[in-house]
Amino acid sequence: MSRISDYESIVGAEVINELKMLARKLKNKVVQNINSTSVGGGVAEILGRMVPLLQDLGVDARWDVVKGGEKYFQVTKKFHNALHGRKMEISSDDYGIFLETTKANIEQMEFYGNIIFIHDPQPVALVEKRKYLKSRWIWRCHIDFTSPDPEMWEFLKSFVKQYDASVFSAPSFARPLPIRQFLISPSIDPLSDKNRELSEEEINNVLERLKINRDKPIITQISRFDYLKDPFGVIEAFRLVKKYVDCRLVLAGGGAIDDPEGAKVFQEVKEKAGNDPDILVLLLPPASDLEINALQRASTVILQKSLREGFGLTVAEALWKAKPVVASAVGGIPLQIAHKYSGLLSHTVQGTAFWIRQLLHSPEYAKTLGENGKAHIKQNFLLTRHLRDYLLLFLSLEEEEDIIYL
Amino acid sequence: MSKKNTSHLTKAKQPFNFYTRLNLIEFTGKKATNLRELVDIMKEVPGSVIYHHTHHYLQQHLYLSPEPPNDFAYWVTYILREDELGEEIASIDLCEFSTIRSLREKIIETIEQHLARNPETLRTAPPGGEFHFFKTITFILPTPYVASNLLEFLEAIRKISIHSIYFHMFEAKLRLEKGENDFSRWIEDMLGEKELAREIARFDPYTFTMEGLRGNLCRLITKYIPGEIIECPE
């Protein structure tokens, strides 16, 4: 488990001191986080890192999980998909199961926090308890909210508007709401297996295991097998580049096993790659963080040619490794890449190929973009910035001014 | 704090206490799809919204770009494709303004003049390309750094966070409406170093990266501390 002091060598003593100063202002406040699972999934992973670090800073942060049966989680999975914009059949029984489970949790759960920090839609309706308490309530939306199903959003909104404040990850995710809405970007952890420094030996071991030869430049896209990540466009761009520069393409990702569409896309990508020995299509098992880290570090250029994207944190991961990145200007990617300063933004297959060739022919330029990208991620997308934003969020609940003297 | 002999340096009438600022971004719920809506909303939002859209790019990309782009110019140029007006807004000299109010009026005036010249065309942003209005909530807090003479001041400049430099150079002048940056004011009023104060005031902080600004401040101050060899960041 990382300590807050472990981050000092990465972000500097000043950043850690600022966090400690903010944490002191929250003395005597209990921050109670509530989500739907303690293991698995991105939110549990974030809380698993954040809560101990907040405690290490001196904030009394705790973490509780709602209880629910199989049916409840089937319903919340439907909600989740609908909020991502997919058309789902949600029956009145489904809503009934959701509300009954929430009611049971309200009765059984202890709401001891001064600040109740609810994560994602599953526990959103716990806010019905708020009228009996003096605590402040925040709803944190971690999911891609670009185009939620309108009916689903109306249902959810009836609860969200009972909160003191809400938090979204990207400007395009914010919705018209009668409560305060804050913008807090997600982050990457520079000390996790996916992002920590690796020795050349560790990188080589992984690539040998995956049977990837490092004899020529490697172009990589890490993403699950999904049409929206445009793996076919990546192969087309690679073939345009290959006419002029000898290089290899690695398309690697996971999460296709229990997803029928993912398995289909994986097969189609394999077919599109054909017998080309320079295109490697890899289905990575869950918990392949070290492999992803090594693949990114062994790459000459990294792509994220998505057609649609949530925040697109794989871009931050690549930039943190000081790699030149060519990515589509969608979702949260333009927040991470300033075109021609910290990476390159493209809109088409031809454009992607053009920029890859530029980078392969101009290693100095590629190096500068990578270094700038790393500096940008260090400043804006590391876990320490995320912690700072949460501390400021907690402090802002008692304030109404736009300039606050602490 | 310096352990060197500083008896030859002018002692300040009052020490300089370094502060820092941390920002949180809040969505206002307002959005514009064309220039008319943009101007109408600009007229009614708090100053912290105008501040956000003219300064957040600079602070988010402060290690990279010395350009001073603002969101209004970006949106007008790249979403509405009004290149000429975009350039006019981008070239508004932020240094000239000592209040958010006057900056707001200048941007509004520039857009309204454009609308008056081109009454026939009002371009609309494509779906998803609307201008979303955000504001910056600023938290100001003290740091442990204090300077009583120029050498201590310089040592602090080398160590304080970028946010602290940002606060004293940009926010103090424009957002807190002090008229000039904190560094120049203290150096002139408390140390009597008028020329150095003027040289710092002449800096256009918008044309440096923040680390570039730190390096330049360091080199400039070093010239006023005879006999000291001090390494400055690039």
Side-chain angles (χ1 to χ4, degrees), chain A residues 77-360:
Chain A
K77 178 74 185 166
K78 279 190 190 177
F79 284 12
H80 182 87
N81 288 339
L83 290 167
H84 268 99
R86 282 173 64 178
K87 196 72 208 156
M88 304 299 296
E89 287 295 325
I90 301 172
S91 66
S92 55
D93 277 0
D94 289 338
Y95 287 117
I97 290 167
F98 178 78
L99 293 172
E100 271 168 37
T101 310
T102 299
K103 192 165 167 249
N105 273 287
I106 287 176
E107 282 164 8
Q108 289 163 17
M109 216 170 199
E110 198 189 335
F111 296 89
Y112 50 80
N114 303 97
I115 295 166
I116 312 275
F117 200 11
I118 305 283
H119 299 264
D120 270 354
Q122 300 92 338
V124 70
L126 293 179
V127 74
E128 298 281 358
K129 179 80 179 180
R130 182 176 183 261
K131 50 183 171 283
Y132 306 108
L133 301 166
K134 285 184 180 155
S135 41
R136 297 285 191 167
W137 288 62
I138 309 169
W139 184 61
R140 188 359 163 177
C141 176
H142 293 268
I143 60 180
D144 176 355
F145 239 54
T146 316
S147 49
D149 174 70
E151 197 182 315
M152 188 68 244
W153 169 233
E154 276 306 311
F155 176 73
L156 202 68
K157 196 165 81 173
S158 64
F159 301 108
V160 174
K161 65 187 186 188
Q162 296 178 48
Y163 282 77
D164 291 286
S166 58
V167 182
F168 292 87
S169 294
S172 56
F173 298 172
R175 304 278 115 200
L177 278 171
I179 60 166
R180 296 180 80 178
Q181 294 183 71
F182 293 95
L183 181 68
I184 298 183
S185 301
S187 60
I188 60 167
D189 183 352
L191 298 178
S192 67
D193 272 348
K194 207 189 256 184
N195 297 304
R196 69 176 169 85
E197 287 292 332
L198 295 181
S199 66
E200 271 304 301
E201 194 187 346
E202 283 177 292
I203 297 171
N204 284 332
N205 284 344
V206 171
L207 269 85
E208 270 174 36
R209 201 153 25 89
L210 296 175
K211 299 189 174 58
I212 301 171
N213 200 331
R214 296 182 76 179
D215 57 344
K216 43 182 126 174
I218 297 175
I219 320 292
T220 302
Q221 175 159 304
I222 306 280
S223 58
R224 65 176 192 274
F225 290 93
D226 182 326
Y227 293 115
L228 294 177
K229 307 294 177 189
D230 199 18
F232 310 107
V234 169
I235 292 176
E236 284 166 32
F238 171 74
R239 287 190 170 136
L240 291 174
V241 174
K242 192 85 197 297
K243 282 192 210 167
Y244 302 96
V245 191
D246 192 18
C247 52
R248 235 179 252 299
L249 174 69
V250 177
L251 275 163
I257 299 156
D258 62 346
D259 175 2
E261 189 175 279
K264 182 167 165 266
V265 177
F266 176 72
Q267 273 315 319
E268 287 175 20
V269 173
K270 291 276 278 185
E271 280 163 29
K272 176 116 182 162
N275 296 323
D276 189 337
D278 285 333
I279 302 181
L280 291 106
V281 185
L282 300 174
L283 188 58
L284 298 172
S288 294
D289 287 357
L290 191 65
E291 286 74 13
I292 290 170
N293 189 347
L295 273 174
Q296 287 170 327
R297 288 185 189 277
S299 301
T300 316
V301 176
I302 294 181
L303 308 180
Q304 191 60 58
K305 209 207 151 306
S306 306
L307 303 174
R308 230 185 86 186
E309 192 57 75
F311 199 81
L313 269 184
T314 47
V315 170
E317 288 164 13
L319 292 175
W320 178 242
K321 285 139 197 152
K323 294 294 169 183
V325 176
V326 182
S328 306
V330 294
I333 291 175
L335 293 176
Q336 300 171 68
I337 291 180
H339 186 51
K340 296 187 182 176
Y341 279 113
S342 53
L344 296 164
L345 294 174
S346 66
H347 303 271
T348 59
V349 166
Q350 289 74 13
T352 305
F354 172 76
W355 291 124
I356 297 170
R357 276 172 56 201
Q358 286 261 308
L359 292 172
L360 293 175

Side-chain angles (χ1 to χ4, degrees), chain A residues 367-380:
Chain A
K367 188 165 174 266
T368 304
L369 288 185
E371 284 168 358
N372 284 347
K374 183 169 184 177
H376 182 52
I377 299 305
K378 181 178 164 184
Q379 181 69 12
N380 295 295

